[in-house]
């Protein structure tokens, strides 16, 4: 006898069906959004790059001039931050979401870093100018640390609020001579000479300024103005913004470090210049990384992304890291276990730190935990 068996399937629950459709639609939407632009970019650890070589000829920093140069066993590294996304092109949804789960990445709204009217190309050009100016300042600071004067042209680049010189001198003029009753006459060769001279000139004093304007000498007089309240050097100011351009016949350096912008490698460039100009190895045979802007007077300034830069230094095998004092609050609690951080405020501090490291006293140097910025 044959038995007929019929299979019966119950119809799906409408609520289950609706939920399945909604989940599928949501998954499709999320998948689509993962490939769409966002309003964000992220930063992460960039490479740590050597600014020194086994010999001066191998270094990315090539000194120009008659001063003798010396080999060094100290390896100096500049540190970088890699940025994904630009002023006009954000990252896609998936990378942005993944960066939130990665403590080596920092996610930022694009407009928190760049105004809407600024383009990515303008940012790149601006960073290139910052790098170029940083290199010029590093040249002046590094040579000055070694006792060698770098002659510059002091070019009028703008005017301070309240300036009495505006309308009497012009942007592009080269300042060649200053004269006052109180401080006498100066033909400045460096910015530090100019600033030291002005510390002797009282506010409101009449100063006679001679400039080179397209090859023609022009002379005018006006009153100096007060310096900012936080400037404790005294004296007065000309009321002009000065750009420094190294003269063609002056000691200098050619620095080739690749397609990297910004001013944050200035300290390490200056240290490499000083190390080449002095006999022996400034930091012994150690690997020393760092970051920080530098001005022509040797002041080390703060930078961004220092946690990424410390991580990059550690990954590159650095034993010590030179950090600007002003960045100390961003350093504490984020130092890799195998890295010793030393806080510095000037190139003098940095040179002293490397000499102490060479002598085996690196662990006794001030770290960020003991600075006022860190409290």
């Amino acid at each position: 006898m044959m038995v007929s068996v019929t299979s019966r399937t119950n119809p799906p629950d409408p609520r289950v069906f609706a939920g399945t459709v909604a989940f599928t639609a949501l998954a499709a939407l999320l998948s689509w959004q993962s490939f769409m632009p966002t309003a964000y970019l992220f930063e992460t650890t960039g490479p740590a790059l050597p600014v020194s070589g086994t010999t001066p000829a191998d270094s990315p920093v090539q000194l120009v001039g008659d001063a003798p140069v010396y080999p060094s066993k100290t390896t100096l590294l500049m540190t970088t931050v890699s940025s994904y996304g630009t002023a006009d092109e954000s990252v896609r949804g998936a990378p942005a979401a993944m960066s939130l789960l990665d403590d080596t990445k920092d996610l930022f709204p694009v407009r928190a870093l760049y105004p809407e009217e600024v383009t990515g190309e303008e940012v790149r050009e601006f960073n290139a100018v910052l790098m170029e100016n940083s290199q010029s300042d590093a040249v002046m600071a590094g040579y000055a640390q070694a006792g060698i004067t770098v002659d510059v042209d002091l070019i009028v680049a703008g005017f301070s609020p309240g300036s009495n010189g505006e309308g009497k001198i012009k942007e592009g003029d080269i300042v060649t001579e200053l004269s006052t009753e109180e401080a006498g006459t100066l033909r400045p060769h460096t910015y530090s000479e100019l600033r030291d001279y002005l510390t002797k000139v009282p506010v409101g004093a009449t100063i006679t300024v001679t400039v080179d304007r397209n090859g023609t000498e022009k002379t005018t007089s006006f009153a100096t103005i007060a310096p900012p309240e936080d400037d404790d050097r005294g004296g007065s100011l000309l009321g002009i913004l000065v750009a420094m351009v190294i003269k063609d016949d002056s000691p200098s350096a050619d620095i080739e470090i690749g397609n990297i912008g910004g001013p944050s490698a200035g300290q390490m460039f200056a240290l490499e210049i000083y190390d080449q100009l002095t006999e022996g190895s400034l930091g012994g045979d150690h690997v020393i990384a760092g970051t920080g802007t530098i001005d022509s007077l040797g002041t080390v300034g703060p930078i961004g992304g220092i946690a990424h830069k410390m991580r990059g230094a550690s990954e590159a095998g650095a034993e010590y890291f030179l950090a600007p004092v002003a960045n100390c609050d961003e350093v504490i609690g984020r130092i890799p276990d195998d890295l010793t951080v030393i806080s510095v405020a000037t190139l003098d501090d940095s040179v002293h730190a490397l000499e102490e490291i060479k002598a085996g006293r690196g662990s006794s140097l001030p770290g960020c935990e003991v600075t006022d910025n860190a409290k």
Side-chain angles (χ1 to χ4, degrees), residues 302-307 310 326-335 368 373:
I303 50 76
I306 195 163
M310 291 189 296
N327 282 121
C328 273
D329 57 344
E330 303 168 63
V331 168
I332 297 172
R334 308 182 76 176
I335 303 173
C368 281
N373 298 66

Side-chain angles (χ1 to χ4, degrees), residues 74 76 138 141-147 266-279 281-284 288 294 298 300 322-323 342-359 361-362 365-366:
T74 305
L76 299 175
Y143 273 96
Q145 190 73 27
Q267 175 183 197
M268 302 312 293
F269 291 148
L271 281 172
E272 170 62 11
I273 290 168
Y274 177 76
D275 197 11
Q276 287 192 33
L277 289 170
T278 53
E279 292 189 68
S281 301
L282 180 58
I288 301 166
I294 197 139
V300 176
L322 302 176
I342 301 162
S343 62
V344 294
T346 66
L347 190 60
D348 276 338
D349 292 344
S350 303
V351 169
H352 173 70
L354 266 63
E355 290 171 343
E356 290 295 285
I357 289 169
K358 178 180 180 179
R361 295 187 291 266
L365 292 164

Side-chain angles (χ1 to χ4, degrees), residues 134-145:
S134 172
Q135 292 177 0
S136 295
D137 283 334
V139 167
M140 288 181 271
Y143 273 96
Q145 190 73 27

Side-chain angles (χ1 to χ4, degrees), residues 19 25 28 44 55 85 119 141 178-179 189 235 237 252 310 358 362 374:
T44 188
T55 68
T119 67
L178 306 172
S179 181
H189 297 282
L237 298 179
S252 186
M310 291 189 296
K358 178 180 180 179

Side-chain angles (χ1 to χ4, degrees), residues 14 23 37 50-51 57-58 73-74 77 79 85 110 129 139 179 229 234 241 250 254 271 279 303 307 322 354 363-364:
F23 177 79
V51 299
D58 297 329
K73 295 179 180 179
T74 305
L77 303 176
T79 49
V110 172
V129 171
V139 167
S179 181
E229 292 183 1
L241 306 178
S250 180
D254 292 329
L271 281 172
E279 292 189 68
I303 50 76
L322 302 176
L354 266 63
S363 59
S364 65

